[in-house]
Amino acid sequence: MTTTNEIADKIAGAHGLTKVQGKAIVEAVLASITEAALAGNETSLPGFGKFKVKATPEREARNPSTGATIKVAAAKKLSFQPAKALKDAMNK
């Protein structure tokens, strides 16, 4: 697993920045993606992928332990669709 601190360290090392500056950059990028998602917008990072907000409609489901039917409320979820370049790199 890679953490935001590890990503920040790599950015700082690659660009001659302090770890604090690297972490600020990572947090700013994540805040921008979050802000776009809250507004219902898509964030596209060419060569990496897209973050999209998807609406899931209300649906009925079953409680597996009792078999009772319950309603699951409609919700929004953030999904990630990797770019073709990323998919190809992962499957080499």
Side-chain angles (χ1 to χ4, degrees):
M1 179 167 74
T2 301
T3 65
T4 55
N5 286 334
E6 291 170 345
I7 295 169
D9 289 345
K10 287 181 182 181
I11 290 172
H15 297 285
L17 304 171
T18 66
K19 289 182 180 184
V20 173
Q21 290 171 322
K23 181 130 183 175
I25 291 168
V26 172
E27 288 176 352
V29 169
L30 296 176
S32 295
I33 293 170
T34 301
E35 185 178 308
L38 292 175
N41 298 325
E42 177 182 298
T43 300
S44 179
L45 304 171
F48 184 69
K50 294 179 183 178
F51 292 93
K52 297 180 182 180
V53 176
K54 292 186 177 181
T56 58
E58 182 178 284
R59 63 186 173 88
E60 286 189 359
R62 291 208 181 269
N63 181 333
S65 62
T66 65
T69 301
I70 58 171
K71 287 194 178 201
V72 177
K76 292 181 185 178
K77 66 178 185 174
L78 185 63
S79 66
F80 176 73
Q81 180 180 0
K84 184 179 183 321
L86 179 58
K87 285 185 209 175
D88 291 345
M90 290 177 55
N91 292 310
K92 279 190 177 181

